[in-house]
């Protein structure tokens, strides 16, 4: 293996430490405790695990956590009424609606009902537009985590060739916007891209966000490139067990890349840390206080 490992767990622990420091300072100087509300509709077991772990980490950094678990048959009016209540609650600085929502609920309508200033997932149409036009936005957590790790690893990204694979609204598109904002030359590849291997071979930075286990082999990677693997895929590990792998074939890619994030332990831990960071940023903005350095872009 030649690649250095970008240790997302360590980055995330450091970011949570920074967040905790800012929360303590906000509380000591102004008596303000940032608060994060998480809304979960339904009984998807994985979503319940995510929400529990978000709540635990929120409390660990000194913030208030508000969890709202609603039954799977919750109707739109009830959910919108809860969001309206949270929009008007001064103790709540960040609101996250856990996705996916049950099919009978319109996710776009629900997300766009969140006060954009409290939209710590950065999915509200106003934040999407602000990010796309290079204005101060709430930035989606997963791409934000990727960018913070890339900046920490490289310093300036200006002029680098970046290829993002996957064009989802929650990862691929905002990732491309962020890399463009940092003056990369960006290609946004997707399921209809021709000659994907050739496109990826141009890249100094590869961000894979597809959801297909190990689809990017090492011989697609330019020697020395930095590889950020967003994918989380559960595969059969034999003997009735499973394990998590990314969208990149780690074994072959790590023999070619200059640096690579592992799965697990790469992008995943940074996502929750960035959610906490966004909540502090939202809290400072809501109180017209200076924003702490290094928590957002
Ligand atoms: P998505 O299904 O919404 O989007 C997948 C994208 O991949 C689509 O834009 C599609 O065009 C593209 N794609 C599909 N097949 C392709 C192919 N053969 N070649 C090239 N592109 C192809 O997925 P998402 O929500 O963006 O998530 C992507 C992956 O990232 C998933 O594995 C998900 O679990 C993971 N994820 C991880 C985190 C984290 O915190 N680490 C957060 C969000 C998503």
């Amino acid at each position: 293996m030649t690649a250095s490992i970008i240790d997302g767990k360590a980055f995330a622990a450091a970011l949570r430490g920074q967040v905790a420091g800012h929360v303590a300072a906000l509380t000591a100087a102004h008596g303000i405790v940032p608060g994060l509300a998480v809304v979960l509709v339904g009984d998807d077991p994985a979503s319940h695990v995510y929400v529990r772990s978000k709540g635990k980490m929120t409390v660990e950094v000194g913030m208030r956590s508000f969890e709202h678990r609603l039954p799977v048959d919750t109707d739109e009016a009830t959910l919108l009424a809860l969001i309206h209540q949270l929009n008007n609650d001064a103790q709540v600085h960040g609101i996250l609606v856990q996705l996916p929502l049950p099919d009978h609920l319109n996710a776009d309508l629900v997300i766009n009902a969140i006060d954009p200033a409290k939209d710590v997932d950065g999915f509200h149409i106003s934040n999407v537009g602000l990010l796309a036009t290079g204005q101060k936005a709430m930035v989606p957590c997963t791409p934000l985590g990727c960018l913070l790790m890339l900046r920490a690893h490289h310093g300036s990204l200006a002029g680098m060739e970046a290829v993002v694979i996957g064009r989802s609204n929650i990862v691929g598109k905002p990732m491309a916007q962020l890399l463009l904002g940092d003056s990369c030359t960006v290609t946004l590849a997707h399921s209809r891209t021709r000659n994907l291997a050739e496109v990826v071979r141009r890249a100094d930075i590869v961000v894979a966000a597809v959801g297909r286990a190990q689809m990017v082999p090492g011989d697609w990677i330019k020697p020395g490139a930095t590889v950020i693997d967003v994918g989380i895929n559960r595969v059969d590990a034999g003997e009735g067990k499973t394990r998590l792998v990314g969208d990149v074939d780690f074994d072959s890619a790590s023999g070619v890349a200059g640096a690579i994030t592992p799965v697990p332990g790469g992008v995943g831990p940074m996502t929750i840390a960035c959610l906490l960071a966004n909540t502090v940023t939202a809290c400072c903005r809501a109180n017209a206080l200076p924003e702490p350095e290094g928590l957002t872009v």
Side-chain angles (χ1 to χ4, degrees), residues 100-130:
L101 286 171
D103 287 344
H104 68 281
L105 295 168
N106 177 338
D108 287 338
L109 187 89
V110 171
I111 298 301
N112 290 327
I114 298 172
D115 177 349
K118 297 189 178 190
D119 168 39
V120 281
D121 250 345
F123 297 159
H124 189 288
I125 192 74
S126 297
N127 283 313
V128 175
L130 289 168

Side-chain angles (χ1 to χ4, degrees), residues 67-68 255:
E67 283 181 28
H68 296 268

Side-chain angles (χ1 to χ4, degrees), residues 43-187:
D43 38 27
D44 176 51
S47 293
H48 277 271
V49 172
Y50 291 141
V51 167
R52 211 170 13 253
S53 111
K54 282 168 186 168
K56 186 167 162 273
M57 290 196 186
T58 303
V59 171
E60 275 171 11
V61 295
M63 304 201 291
R64 287 195 185 101
S65 168
F66 306 94
E67 283 181 28
H68 296 268
R69 292 169 193 262
L70 305 180
V72 68
D73 58 356
T74 299
D75 63 23
E76 197 169 272
T78 306
L79 181 54
L80 291 176
L82 173 60
I83 289 176
H84 184 69
Q85 178 200 316
L86 296 172
N87 283 344
N88 290 301
D89 184 337
Q91 288 198 330
V92 172
H93 303 94
I95 302 169
L96 177 150
V97 176
Q98 185 68 41
L99 300 176
L101 286 171
D103 287 344
H104 68 281
L105 295 168
N106 177 338
D108 287 338
L109 187 89
V110 171
I111 298 301
N112 290 327
I114 298 172
D115 177 349
K118 297 189 178 190
D119 168 39
V120 281
D121 250 345
F123 297 159
H124 189 288
I125 192 74
S126 297
N127 283 313
V128 175
L130 289 168
L131 180 63
T133 50
Q135 301 180 67
K136 202 180 272 265
M138 293 307 303
V139 179
C141 303
T142 299
L144 175 59
C146 296
L147 190 76
L148 292 178
M149 289 194 287
L150 282 167
R151 282 185 178 177
H153 187 74
H154 284 286
S156 169
L157 308 181
M160 296 178 88
E161 288 273 352
V163 172
V164 179
I165 318 174
R167 57 177 161 183
S168 72
N169 290 335
I170 65 168
V171 189
K173 282 183 199 156
M175 186 75 245
Q177 295 288 1
L178 287 173
L179 290 165
L180 202 53
D182 270 27
S183 300
C184 291
T185 302
V186 181
T187 303

Side-chain angles (χ1 to χ4, degrees), residues 142 165-168 170-171 190-191 209-211 215 230-232 268 271:
T142 299
I165 318 174
R167 57 177 161 183
S168 72
I170 65 168
V171 189
H190 47 78
S191 55
V210 177
M215 70 164 274
V230 181
I232 302 176
T271 297

Side-chain angles (χ1 to χ4, degrees), residues 29-51:
H30 306 283
I32 299 168
V33 183
L36 172 64
V38 178
V39 178
L40 172 58
V41 184
D43 38 27
D44 176 51
S47 293
H48 277 271
V49 172
Y50 291 141
V51 167

Side-chain angles (χ1 to χ4, degrees), residues 213-231:
Q214 299 168 310
M215 70 164 274
V216 179
D219 67 3
W220 289 17
I221 306 293
K222 174 166 141 182
T226 300
V227 178
I228 305 290
D229 192 351
V230 181

